[in-house]
């Protein structure tokens, strides 16, 4: 028995060392062997980030991996509306989501949707940017490349698009839950398709790169939920929960559990998609995947939970009673606490905005769906011909 315990401890130490070495290998800022100091490399990205999802977070992760400091510009409501249509989420909501991402170091508000040469020069000078980053899809406006200035200066880099997820795809899933009977048959068929996102252990590992075990002296906080379509209400609640301790574990319920509680076609995002969304939040230290609905005494002891948090009322109305039997053991142990969410934003907020402008969002979805289908066709038909 003692030998097994010793081996288990040695394995934990080896895992810590492996994680440390992997981080050093992937960090372009590590000092050279000749003792040179780390060089700061500042990266700039911009976008609307409406209905921000784990695909955006992965883009931030990829962008930051090319340097040491990521600056993200968030397009203003006015410039987005002028160029295409009003965003679903306003300036403050989109800023809150970008600021909450652990891969982002600095946020620039009110960035123009179309960045002219003068503004790109301003970004380089004001924020001491080394490179501007964009996805590998072309960004052409009025026949001109938006990033022409940065490219000519040799200060432009691309990152691969996170395939299988997009704002258009998620908007389609939401439209399916509003006024389905008003849609054309072909649109409904497209909306009802399964998620195309392919979750790999590699991506989960990259999102979990800085996850460390809590030390003995840390106060561990636990909160659970579905965390479907990660939004400002979730961010505010997780921030409030984290402030009550040193280490925040977030339980994420499985798809069957969420559907049983909420019905319809929920959750919008599957378990793996929701795990990545929560892992990308800077207030979260670790997640419990497919978390048990009932919080048992064994679970509290195993995870060394000092406090179980209940959002009053939960941001999406899932668990509105702190008298729920699933909290029985936490109450008996005196570790149960109710926290009022400072933000009233919920999934219902998004649904209501879509319902108020159903035709506009449906038309936008169908237009973007056609564009994305053409993108996939060109990209993968080219690969198949080689």
């Amino acid at each position: 028995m003692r030998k097994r315990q010793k081996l288990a401890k040695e394995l934990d130490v080896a895992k810590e060392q492996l994680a440390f070495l992997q981080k050093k290998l992937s960090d372009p800022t590590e000092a050279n062997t000749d003792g040179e100091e780390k060089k700061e490399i500042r990266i700039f990205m911009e976008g609307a980030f409406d209905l921000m999802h784990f695909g955006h977070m992965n883009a931030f992760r990829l962008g930051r991996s090319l340097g040491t400091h990521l600056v993200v510009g968030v397009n203003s409501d006015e410039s987005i509306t002028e160029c295409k249509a009003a965003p679903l989420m306003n300036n403050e909501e989109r800023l809150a989501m970008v600021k909450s991402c652990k891969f982002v170091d600095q946020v620039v508000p009110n960035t123009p949707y179309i960045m002219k040469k003068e503004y790109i020069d301003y970004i380089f000078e004001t924020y001491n940017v080394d490179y501007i980053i964009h996805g590998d899809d072309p960004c052409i406006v009025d026949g001109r490349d938006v990033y022409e200035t940065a490219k000519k200066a040799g200060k432009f880099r691309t990152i691969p698009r996170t395939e299988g997820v997009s704002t258009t795809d998620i908007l389609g899933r939401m439209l399916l839950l509003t006024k389905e009977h008003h849609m054309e048959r072909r649109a409904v068929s497209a909306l009802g398709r399964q998620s195309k996102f392919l979750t790999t252990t590699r991506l989960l590992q990259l999102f979990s790169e800085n996850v460390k075990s809590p030390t003995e002296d840390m106060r561990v906080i636990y909160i659970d939920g579905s965390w479907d379509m990660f939004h400002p209400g979730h961010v505010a609640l997780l921030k409030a929960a984290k402030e009550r301790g040193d280490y925040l574990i977030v339980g994420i319920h499985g798809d069957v559990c969420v559907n049983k509680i909420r019905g319809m076609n929920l959750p919008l995002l599957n378990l793996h998609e929701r795990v990545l969304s929560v892992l990308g939040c800077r207030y979260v230290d670790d997640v419990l995947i497919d978390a048990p609905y009932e919080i048992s005494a064994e679970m509290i002891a195993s995870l060394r939970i000092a406090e179980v948090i209940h959002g009053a009322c939960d941001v999406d109305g899932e668990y509105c009673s702190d008298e729920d039997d699933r909290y029985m053991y936490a109450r008996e142990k005196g570790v149960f606490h109710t926290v009022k969410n400072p933000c009233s934003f919920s999934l219902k907020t998004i649904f209501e905005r879509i319902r108020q402008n159903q035709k506009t969002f449906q038309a936008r979805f169908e237009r973007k769906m056609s564009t994305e289908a053409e993108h996939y066709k060109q990209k993968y038909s080219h690969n198949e011909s080689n």
Side-chain angles (χ1 to χ4, degrees), residues 183-193 362-363 365-367 369-370:
M183 297 186 185
E184 297 178 11
R185 185 178 300 275
R186 69 178 174 85
V188 173
S189 175
L191 293 174
R193 67 187 186 276
Q362 181 182 332
F365 165 78
E366 294 186 1
R367 184 171 61 253
M369 185 175 64
S370 176

Side-chain angles (χ1 to χ4, degrees), residues 94 127 146 190 234 270 304 329 346 357 364 380:
R94 291 181 293 110
Y127 298 98
V146 172
H234 292 142
N270 66 38
R304 297 194 293 108
Y329 294 108
S346 72
N357 298 280
R364 184 191 302 183
Y380 292 111

Side-chain angles (χ1 to χ4, degrees), residues 82-110:
E82 182 181 352
C83 294
K84 50 180 187 177
L88 194 57
M89 297 171 70
N90 63 36
N91 280 327
E92 290 72 23
E93 292 161 352
R94 291 181 293 110
L95 280 168
M97 293 305 297
V98 176
K99 287 178 180 178
S100 74
C101 182
K102 67 181 182 182
F103 303 117
V104 177
D105 298 295
Q106 186 176 359
V107 178
V108 179
N110 300 316

Side-chain angles (χ1 to χ4, degrees), residues 23 25 382:
K23 187 176 188 301
L25 283 171
H382 173 74

Side-chain angles (χ1 to χ4, degrees), residues 49-228:
F49 308 116
D50 198 18
L51 282 181
M52 198 177 97
H53 49 73
F54 60 92
H56 293 130
M57 292 179 175
N58 193 42
F60 295 152
R61 182 192 65 77
L62 288 168
R64 197 180 191 284
S65 72
L66 298 178
T68 63
H69 190 93
L70 178 63
V71 181
V72 177
V74 180
N75 303 150
S76 66
D77 288 348
E78 294 76 17
S79 68
I80 298 171
T81 303
E82 182 181 352
C83 294
K84 50 180 187 177
L88 194 57
M89 297 171 70
N90 63 36
N91 280 327
E92 290 72 23
E93 292 161 352
R94 291 181 293 110
L95 280 168
M97 293 305 297
V98 176
K99 287 178 180 178
S100 74
C101 182
K102 67 181 182 182
F103 303 117
V104 177
D105 298 295
Q106 186 176 359
V107 178
V108 179
N110 300 316
T111 305
Y113 187 78
I114 299 177
M115 297 201 306
K116 296 181 179 178
K117 179 183 183 302
E118 294 75 16
Y119 192 81
I120 289 179
D121 289 339
Y122 165 79
I123 288 295
F124 280 129
E125 294 171 7
T126 306
Y127 298 98
N128 196 26
V129 169
D130 293 285
Y131 298 103
I132 288 182
I133 305 296
H134 192 263
D136 54 8
D137 50 321
C139 191
I140 307 297
V141 176
D142 295 331
R144 296 196 63 179
D145 188 339
V146 172
Y147 297 105
E148 181 181 4
T149 300
K151 288 179 179 179
K152 285 182 177 179
K155 294 187 174 184
F156 180 80
R157 298 287 185 274
T158 61
I159 54 174
R161 173 174 170 164
T162 303
E163 303 289 12
V165 61
S166 66
T167 301
T168 303
D169 174 57
I170 293 174
L171 176 61
R173 300 185 209 182
M174 291 184 170
L175 283 166
L176 186 63
L177 298 180
T178 52
K179 295 182 179 179
E180 179 178 321
H181 59 284
H182 286 168
M183 297 186 185
E184 297 178 11
R185 185 178 300 275
R186 69 178 174 85
V188 173
S189 175
L191 293 174
R193 67 187 186 276
Q194 277 191 323
S195 168
K196 292 182 179 179
F197 180 68
L198 303 175
T199 311
T200 63
T201 53
R202 171 66 174 159
L203 188 57
L204 285 170
Q205 181 185 34
L206 290 168
F207 267 65
S208 308
E209 186 178 10
N210 295 319
V211 172
K212 298 179 180 178
S213 301
T215 57
E216 292 290 336
D217 60 332
M218 284 184 171
R219 179 176 172 81
V220 178
I221 307 298
Y222 179 79
I223 185 170
D224 63 6
S226 71
W227 315 104
D228 197 13

